[in-house]
Amino acid sequence: MQPSEPVLAKQLGRLVHDRRTALGLSQAELAERCDMKQPQISRIEGGGTVPTIPLLRRLADALEAELTIELTPHTDAA
């Protein structure tokens, strides 16, 4: 079973939060790095919004991280 969009949004938010805190950045500092506002970072970290791919690229760059998007074929249960 695939995770729902809200679950994926929460997972992405947790990844952004964890990387931001590992770098010792505040939400405001991250927002400044990627030309956003602090409330936008808060909504992403809380799973309340799903960023576009261009915004994901800016976030990844600001977080000194690689952005990897992957499609994996479903495997059929035998």
Side-chain angles (χ1 to χ4, degrees), residues 1-56:
M1 178 188 261
Q2 295 294 322
S4 66
E5 284 185 34
V7 170
L8 291 173
K10 286 271 190 197
Q11 289 173 347
L12 175 63
R14 173 54 60 188
L15 291 170
V16 170
H17 173 269
D18 290 350
R19 181 65 183 153
R20 175 181 63 76
T21 56
L23 292 172
L25 297 172
S26 68
Q27 288 183 346
E29 289 168 326
L30 176 57
E32 186 175 323
R33 282 186 175 200
C34 54
D35 195 29
M36 296 174 66
K37 304 264 188 234
Q38 180 275 327
Q40 292 172 288
I41 299 297
S42 180
R43 282 192 299 275
I44 291 168
E45 288 187 359
T49 187
V50 178
T52 62
I53 291 177
L55 182 51
L56 282 172

